[in-house]
Amino acid sequence: MFQNDLLNGKRILITGGGSGLGRNMARRFMELGGQLVICGRREDVLDETAKQLAAETGGSISAHRLDIRDPEAVDETVGAIWQEGPVDILVNNAAGNFLARTETLSHRALDAVINIVLHGTSYMTLACGKRWIEEGRKGNVLSIVTTYAWTGSAYVVPSAMGKAGVLAMTRSLAIEWGPKGIRLNAIAPGAFPTEGAWSRLVPDEKMAEEYETRNPLGRPGRHDELENLAVYLASDQSEYITGEVVTIDGGDWIGGAGQFNYGAKLSNADWEKMKGK
Ligand code: HXC
C-alpha cells in the first residue's frame, strides 16, 4: 500500500511502544524507513522490543524508560530524546484501562487511568509541541482514542473521561498550533485484540467473540489495517488533515446507534409482513 521510503528521515516517538498496538505501529513505521523512539514503564519489555524490531526490520530504534504520568520525567526524557535528534511525529499510544462498576472505584483507581490517559498524553504533547514551536519545526501528533470518547461508555468511565479530553486537546491544539505548522489527529480503533487490553477489558472468550463480531463487518480488526491508517496520518501524504478523528471499527459504534438497525435481524417473512403497511 505504501512505498518503502515513505517515512525516510522521520523520527517517530511512540508512547507505550514496547507492546500491543504501539509495538505493531513501531514495526510498520520502521519497515517504511521511520527512525523509532519507543518509551514505556517497563525497561525490560522496551529493550526486548527494540532488539527484536531492529533485527526484524533492519531499521533504527531506541528505547527510553518513561512513566508519562510524571511531568518532570516527561520533560527530562523528551529533552534527552531531542538531544539525539528532534522528533517529527509523536504517537500518543500509552493508555490504562480496566472494566469496573464506577461506584466501586477509589480516587486512586480514577487517578490511575486518568493520569495516564489525560495527563500523560497532554504532558507528552506539550513537551514536543513547545520544542517544535521554539525551533520553528513542523510537528505531527497522532493520538489513539476510542469511539466512546464521544459516545461515552459504561464501566470504563475514567478511560472515557480521559479519552474525551484527549480528543478535545486534539481539536483545540489543531486550531491553536495549525498556524505554527503542527497538526494533530486521532484514531479511534474498535476491536483490535491485544493481550494487554483484552486481559483487562474482556472477561472470557464468549464475550470476546461477541465484542469482536457484533460490528456490521462481523469480524475483529486486522492489525495491519490499523497500522496502515496510522502510517497515512503520520506521513506527509496527509498534510492537509488536522483536528480529525478517524474511526476504524468495522462500523461498530454506528451499528449500535442507528434507531432501526434491528432490521438486520428480520427474516424474509418479517420483511414481507412489513410491505404495504
Ligand atoms: C478496580 C482497580 C483495578 C480494577 C486497579 N485498580 N485495577 N480497581 N478494578 N481492575 C485500582 C487499584 O485497586 C488502586 O486503587 C488503583 O487502581 C491503582 O492501582 P495500581 O495497580 O497501583 O495502579 P498502576 O500500577 O498505576 O496501574 C494502572 C492501571 C493498570 C491502569 C490500573 O491496569 C495499568 O497499568 N494498565 C496499563 C496498560 C493498560 O491498561 N492497557 C490497556 C489499555 S486499553 P486502591 O484504592 O486500591 O489503591 C485502552 C483502550 C480501550 O485504554 C478501548 C478499546 C477496547
Side-chain angles (χ1 to χ4, degrees):
M1 185 167 174
F2 300 109
Q3 291 180 357
N4 288 342
D5 61 355
L6 181 68
L7 298 173
N8 268 10
K10 298 289 185 197
R11 212 158 126 76
I12 307 167
L13 169 57
I14 306 186
T15 64
S19 58
L21 303 185
R23 184 188 200 279
N24 293 345
M25 285 188 281
R27 187 202 294 108
R28 187 68 186 127
F29 291 156
M30 288 170 79
E31 285 170 355
L32 297 170
Q35 295 163 28
L36 263 288
V37 184
I38 54 172
C39 61
R41 282 183 286 175
R42 294 168 297 167
E43 199 159 24
D44 52 336
V45 173
L46 288 171
D47 288 345
E48 187 56 30
T49 293
K51 209 169 73 187
Q52 284 175 3
L53 297 190
E56 281 171 29
T57 67
S60 152
I61 181 165
S62 66
H64 291 255
R65 205 197 76 78
L66 173 64
D67 185 340
I68 61 168
R69 294 174 292 190
D70 178 345
E72 279 156 19
V74 165
D75 204 51
E76 200 177 297
T77 304
V78 172
I81 291 167
W82 230 266
Q83 290 287 310
E84 294 163 7
V87 168
D88 300 292
I89 301 152
L90 165 67
V91 180
N92 287 314
N93 163 76
N97 201 2
F98 50 76
L99 206 62
R101 289 165 297 177
T102 307
E103 69 276 16
T104 67
L105 297 179
S106 69
H107 64 88
R108 282 178 295 273
L110 290 170
D111 288 351
V113 172
I114 292 172
N115 285 350
I116 301 174
V117 176
L118 182 59
H119 294 280
T121 301
S122 47
Y123 299 152
M124 288 300 298
T125 304
L126 258 69
C128 291
K130 73 177 187 188
R131 287 174 172 83
W132 286 325
I133 291 165
E134 271 163 24
E135 295 170 10
R137 294 183 69 86
K138 280 186 173 181
N140 184 2
V141 180
L142 180 60
S143 298
I144 305 298
V145 297
T146 81
T147 56
Y148 61 68
W150 59 90
T151 64
S153 175
Y155 309 114
V156 285
V157 168
S159 171
M161 293 164 67
K163 296 287 192 184
V166 173
L167 188 52
M169 179 195 76
T170 298
R171 290 176 170 147
S172 305
L173 287 179
I175 305 162
E176 193 174 330
W177 288 355
K180 299 178 194 298
I182 299 169
R183 61 194 186 97
L184 299 95
N185 291 294
I187 294 177
F192 286 84
T194 62
E195 207 282 313
W198 263 229
S199 64
R200 293 177 176 90
L201 301 171
V202 193
D204 59 43
E205 272 180 29
K206 192 163 157 272
M207 276 195 198
E209 159 92 17
E210 207 259 292
Y211 173 53
E212 290 165 14
T213 59
R214 70 185 178 192
N215 63 72
L217 299 186
R219 65 168 176 87
R222 291 197 323 264
H223 284 274
D224 63 296
E225 294 170 317
L226 180 58
E227 290 154 25
N228 284 335
L229 176 58
V231 168
Y232 173 64
L233 291 172
S235 78
D236 289 343
Q237 297 300 310
S238 61
E239 261 189 321
Y240 201 49
I241 301 179
T242 194
E244 191 52 84
V245 53
V246 182
T247 300
I248 178 163
D249 72 344
D252 187 43
W253 88 268
I254 49 171
Q259 213 172 350
F260 294 100
N261 289 352
Y262 66 75
K265 294 194 175 127
L266 299 184
S267 65
N268 285 341
D270 292 329
W271 285 113
E272 285 305 315
K273 258 196 289 179
M274 300 290 292
K275 262 189 190 167
K277 283 212 170 164

Coordinates of all heavy atoms in Angstrom, one line a residue, residues 41-42 67 69 93-100 104-113 116-117 144-146 148 156 159 163 189-192 194 196-198 200-202 211, ligand 1:
R41 N 6.9 2.1 30.6 CA 7.3 2.0 32.0 C 8.2 0.8 32.3 O 9.0 0.9 33.2 CB 6.0 1.8 32.9 CG 5.3 3.1 33.1 CD 4.1 2.8 34.0 NE 3.0 2.2 33.3 CZ 1.9 1.7 33.9 NH1 1.7 1.9 35.2 NH2 0.9 1.2 33.2
R42 N 8.2 -0.2 31.4 CA 9.0 -1.4 31.7 C 10.2 -1.5 30.8 O 10.1 -1.8 29.6 CB 8.1 -2.6 31.6 CG 6.9 -2.7 32.6 CD 5.9 -3.7 32.2 NE 5.3 -3.5 31.0 CZ 4.5 -4.3 30.3 NH1 4.3 -5.5 30.7 NH2 3.9 -4.0 29.1
D67 N 7.7 7.0 32.6 CA 6.3 6.9 33.1 C 5.7 8.3 32.8 O 6.0 9.3 33.4 CB 6.3 6.7 34.6 CG 4.8 6.5 35.1 OD1 3.9 6.9 34.5 OD2 4.7 5.9 36.2
R69 N 3.1 9.7 33.4 CA 2.3 10.4 34.5 C 3.2 11.4 35.2 O 2.7 12.2 36.0 CB 1.8 9.3 35.5 CG 0.8 8.4 34.9 CD 0.3 7.3 35.8 NE 1.4 6.4 36.1 CZ 1.3 5.3 36.8 NH1 0.1 5.0 37.3 NH2 2.3 4.5 37.0
N93 N 0.1 6.7 22.4 CA -0.5 5.4 22.3 C -0.7 4.8 23.7 O -1.6 4.1 24.0 CB 0.4 4.5 21.5 CG 0.1 3.0 21.7 OD1 -1.0 2.5 21.3 ND2 0.9 2.3 22.5
A94 N 0.2 5.2 24.7 CA 0.1 4.6 26.0 C -1.3 4.9 26.7 O -1.8 6.0 26.6 CB 1.2 5.2 26.9
A95 N -1.8 3.9 27.3 CA -3.1 4.1 28.0 C -3.2 3.2 29.1 O -2.4 2.2 29.3 CB -4.2 3.8 27.0
G96 N -4.2 3.4 30.0 CA -4.5 2.5 31.1 C -6.0 2.4 31.1 O -6.7 3.4 30.9
N97 N -6.5 1.2 31.4 CA -7.9 1.0 31.4 C -8.3 -0.3 32.1 O -7.5 -1.2 32.2 CB -8.4 0.9 30.0 CG -9.9 1.2 29.8 OD1 -10.6 1.5 30.8 ND2 -10.4 1.1 28.6
F98 N -9.4 -0.4 32.8 CA -10.0 -1.7 33.2 C -11.5 -1.6 33.3 O -12.0 -0.4 33.4 CB -9.3 -2.1 34.6 CG -9.3 -1.0 35.6 CD1 -10.5 -0.7 36.3 CD2 -8.2 -0.3 35.9 CE1 -10.5 0.3 37.3 CE2 -8.2 0.7 36.9 CZ -9.3 1.0 37.6
L99 N -12.1 -2.7 33.4 CA -13.6 -2.7 33.4 C -14.0 -2.8 34.9 O -13.5 -3.6 35.6 CB -14.0 -4.0 32.7 CG -15.4 -4.1 32.1 CD1 -15.5 -3.1 31.0 CD2 -15.6 -5.5 31.5
A100 N -14.8 -1.8 35.3 CA -15.3 -1.8 36.7 C -16.6 -1.1 36.9 O -16.9 -0.2 36.1 CB -14.2 -1.2 37.6
T104 N -17.7 1.5 42.5 CA -16.7 0.8 43.4 C -15.3 1.4 43.3 O -14.4 0.9 44.0 CB -16.6 -0.7 42.9 OG1 -16.0 -0.7 41.6 CG2 -18.0 -1.4 42.9
L105 N -15.1 2.4 42.5 CA -13.7 2.9 42.3 C -13.3 3.8 43.4 O -14.0 4.7 43.8 CB -13.6 3.6 40.9 CG -13.9 2.8 39.7 CD1 -13.8 3.7 38.4 CD2 -12.9 1.6 39.6
S106 N -12.0 3.7 43.8 CA -11.4 4.6 44.7 C -10.9 5.8 43.9 O -10.8 5.7 42.7 CB -10.3 3.9 45.5 OG -9.2 3.7 44.6
H107 N -10.5 6.9 44.6 CA -10.0 8.0 43.9 C -8.6 7.6 43.3 O -8.3 8.1 42.2 CB -9.9 9.2 44.8 CG -8.9 9.1 46.0 ND1 -7.6 9.3 45.9 CD2 -9.1 8.6 47.2 CE1 -7.0 9.1 47.0 NE2 -7.9 8.7 47.9
R108 N -7.9 6.7 43.9 CA -6.7 6.2 43.3 C -6.9 5.5 42.0 O -6.1 5.6 41.1 CB -5.9 5.3 44.3 CG -5.2 6.1 45.4 CD -4.5 5.2 46.4 NE -5.5 4.4 47.1 CZ -6.1 4.7 48.2 NH1 -5.8 5.9 48.8 NH2 -6.9 3.9 48.8
A109 N -8.0 4.7 42.0 CA -8.4 4.0 40.7 C -8.7 5.0 39.6 O -8.3 4.8 38.5 CB -9.5 3.0 41.0
L110 N -9.5 6.0 39.9 CA -9.8 7.0 38.9 C -8.5 7.7 38.4 O -8.3 7.8 37.2 CB -10.6 8.2 39.5 CG -12.1 7.8 39.9 CD1 -12.7 9.0 40.7 CD2 -12.9 7.6 38.7
D111 N -7.6 8.0 39.4 CA -6.4 8.7 39.0 C -5.5 7.8 38.2 O -4.8 8.3 37.3 CB -5.6 9.2 40.3 CG -6.3 10.4 40.9 OD1 -7.3 10.9 40.3 OD2 -5.9 10.7 42.0
A112 N -5.5 6.5 38.5 CA -4.6 5.6 37.8 C -4.8 5.6 36.3 O -3.8 5.6 35.5 CB -4.8 4.2 38.4
V113 N -6.1 5.7 35.9 CA -6.4 5.7 34.5 C -6.2 7.2 33.9 O -5.6 7.4 32.9 CB -7.8 5.2 34.2 CG1 -8.2 5.4 32.8 CG2 -7.8 3.7 34.6
I116 N -2.7 8.6 33.4 CA -2.0 8.1 32.2 C -2.7 8.7 30.9 O -2.0 9.3 30.1 CB -2.1 6.5 32.0 CG1 -1.5 5.8 33.2 CG2 -1.4 6.1 30.7 CD1 -1.7 4.3 33.2
V117 N -4.0 8.5 30.8 CA -4.6 8.8 29.5 C -4.7 10.3 29.3 O -4.3 10.8 28.2 CB -6.1 8.2 29.5 CG1 -6.8 8.6 28.2 CG2 -6.0 6.7 29.6
I144 N -4.1 7.9 20.0 CA -5.1 6.8 19.9 C -6.2 7.1 21.0 O -5.9 7.2 22.2 CB -4.4 5.4 20.3 CG1 -3.2 5.2 19.3 CG2 -5.4 4.3 20.2 CD1 -3.5 5.1 17.9
V145 N -7.4 7.2 20.5 CA -8.6 7.4 21.4 C -9.5 6.2 21.2 O -9.1 5.1 20.9 CB -9.2 8.8 21.1 CG1 -8.3 9.9 21.4 CG2 -9.8 8.9 19.7
T146 N -10.8 6.4 21.4 CA -11.8 5.3 21.3 C -13.1 6.0 20.8 O -13.2 7.2 21.0 CB -12.1 4.6 22.6 OG1 -13.0 5.3 23.3 CG2 -10.8 4.3 23.4
Y148 N -15.8 5.7 22.3 CA -16.6 6.2 23.5 C -16.0 7.5 24.0 O -16.5 8.0 25.0 CB -16.7 5.1 24.5 CG -15.4 4.5 25.2 CD1 -14.6 5.3 26.0 CD2 -15.1 3.2 25.0 CE1 -13.5 4.7 26.6 CE2 -14.0 2.6 25.5 CZ -13.2 3.4 26.3 OH -12.0 2.9 26.9
V156 N -16.2 1.9 31.9 CA -14.9 2.4 31.7 C -14.8 3.9 31.8 O -14.3 4.6 30.9 CB -14.3 1.9 30.3 CG1 -14.0 0.4 30.3 CG2 -15.4 2.2 29.2
S159 N -11.6 6.0 31.7 CA -11.0 6.0 30.4 C -11.8 6.9 29.4 O -11.2 7.6 28.6 CB -11.0 4.5 29.9 OG -10.6 4.5 28.5
K163 N -10.1 9.9 27.5 CA -10.1 9.9 26.0 C -10.9 11.1 25.4 O -10.5 11.6 24.4 CB -10.6 8.6 25.4 CG -9.8 7.4 25.8 CD -8.5 7.3 25.1 CE -7.8 5.9 25.3 NZ -6.5 5.8 24.6
P189 N -9.9 3.3 17.3 CA -10.0 1.9 16.9 C -11.1 1.1 17.6 O -11.4 1.4 18.8 CB -8.7 1.2 17.3 CG -7.8 2.3 18.0 CD -8.8 3.4 18.3
G190 N -11.7 0.2 16.9 CA -12.7 -0.7 17.6 C -11.9 -1.9 18.1 O -10.9 -1.8 18.8
A191 N -12.4 -3.1 17.8 CA -11.9 -4.3 18.4 C -10.6 -4.8 17.6 O -10.7 -5.4 16.6 CB -12.9 -5.5 18.3
F192 N -9.5 -4.4 18.2 CA -8.2 -4.9 17.7 C -7.5 -5.7 18.8 O -6.9 -5.1 19.7 CB -7.3 -3.8 17.2 CG -7.7 -3.2 15.9 CD1 -8.7 -2.2 15.9 CD2 -7.1 -3.6 14.7 CE1 -9.1 -1.7 14.7 CE2 -7.6 -3.1 13.5 CZ -8.5 -2.1 13.5
T194 N -5.6 -7.3 21.7 CA -4.2 -7.3 22.1 C -4.2 -8.0 23.5 O -5.3 -7.9 24.2 CB -3.5 -5.9 22.3 OG1 -4.3 -5.2 23.3 CG2 -3.4 -5.2 21.0
G196 N -2.8 -7.1 26.3 CA -2.9 -6.1 27.4 C -4.3 -5.6 27.6 O -4.9 -5.6 28.7
A197 N -5.0 -5.2 26.5 CA -6.3 -4.6 26.6 C -7.3 -5.8 26.9 O -8.2 -5.6 27.8 CB -6.7 -3.9 25.3
W198 N -7.2 -6.9 26.2 CA -8.2 -7.9 26.4 C -8.2 -8.5 27.8 O -9.3 -8.9 28.3 CB -8.1 -9.0 25.3 CG -9.0 -8.8 24.1 CD1 -9.8 -9.7 23.5 CD2 -9.3 -7.6 23.4 NE1 -10.5 -9.2 22.5 CE2 -10.2 -7.9 22.4 CE3 -8.8 -6.3 23.5 CZ2 -10.7 -6.9 21.5 CZ3 -9.3 -5.3 22.6 CH2 -10.2 -5.6 21.6
R200 N -7.7 -7.1 30.4 CA -8.3 -6.1 31.4 C -9.8 -5.8 31.1 O -10.5 -5.4 31.9 CB -7.6 -4.8 31.4 CG -6.2 -4.9 32.0 CD -5.4 -3.6 31.9 NE -4.1 -3.7 32.5 CZ -3.0 -4.1 31.8 NH1 -3.1 -4.4 30.6 NH2 -1.9 -4.2 32.5
L201 N -10.1 -6.0 29.8 CA -11.4 -5.5 29.4 C -12.4 -6.6 28.9 O -13.6 -6.3 28.8 CB -11.2 -4.5 28.2 CG -10.4 -3.3 28.5 CD1 -10.0 -2.5 27.3 CD2 -11.1 -2.4 29.5
V202 N -12.0 -7.8 28.7 CA -12.9 -8.8 28.2 C -12.7 -10.0 29.1 O -11.7 -10.7 29.0 CB -12.6 -9.2 26.7 CG1 -13.7 -10.0 26.1 CG2 -12.3 -7.9 25.9
Y211 N -17.9 -9.3 21.3 CA -17.4 -8.0 21.1 C -16.7 -7.8 19.8 O -16.8 -6.8 19.1 CB -16.4 -7.7 22.3 CG -15.7 -6.4 22.2 CD1 -16.4 -5.2 21.9 CD2 -14.3 -6.3 22.2 CE1 -15.7 -4.0 21.8 CE2 -13.6 -5.1 22.1 CZ -14.3 -4.0 21.9 OH -13.6 -2.8 21.7
Ligands
HXC1 C1 -10.9 -1.8 40.2 C2 -8.6 -1.2 40.1 C3 -8.4 -2.2 39.1 C4 -9.5 -3.0 38.6 C5 -6.5 -1.3 39.6 N1 -7.4 -0.7 40.4 N2 -7.1 -2.2 38.8 N3 -9.9 -1.0 40.7 N4 -10.8 -2.7 39.2 N5 -9.4 -3.9 37.7 C6 -7.2 0.3 41.4 C7 -6.3 -0.3 42.5 O1 -7.0 -1.0 43.4 C8 -5.7 1.0 43.1 O2 -6.6 1.6 44.0 C9 -5.6 1.9 41.9 O3 -6.5 1.4 40.9 C10 -4.2 2.0 41.3 O4 -3.8 0.7 41.0 P1 -2.3 0.3 40.8 O5 -2.3 -1.1 40.3 O6 -1.5 0.7 41.9 O7 -2.0 1.3 39.6 P2 -1.0 1.2 38.4 O8 0.1 0.3 38.7 O9 -0.6 2.6 38.0 O10 -1.9 0.5 37.2 C11 -2.6 1.3 36.4 C12 -3.7 0.5 35.8 C13 -3.1 -0.7 35.1 C14 -4.4 1.4 34.8 C15 -4.6 0.2 36.9 O11 -4.2 -1.5 34.5 C16 -2.2 -0.4 34.0 O12 -1.0 -0.1 34.3 N6 -2.5 -0.5 32.7 C17 -1.7 -0.2 31.6 C18 -1.9 -1.0 30.4 C19 -3.4 -1.0 30.0 O13 -4.3 -0.7 30.8 N7 -3.6 -1.3 28.8 C20 -4.9 -1.4 28.2 C21 -5.3 -0.1 27.7 S1 -6.6 -0.4 26.6 P3 -6.5 1.5 45.6 O14 -7.6 2.4 46.1 O15 -6.8 0.0 45.9 O16 -5.1 1.9 45.9 C22 -7.4 1.1 26.3 C23 -8.3 1.1 25.1 C24 -9.6 0.6 25.4 O17 -7.2 2.0 27.0 C25 -10.6 0.8 24.3 C26 -10.6 -0.4 23.3 C27 -11.2 -1.7 23.8

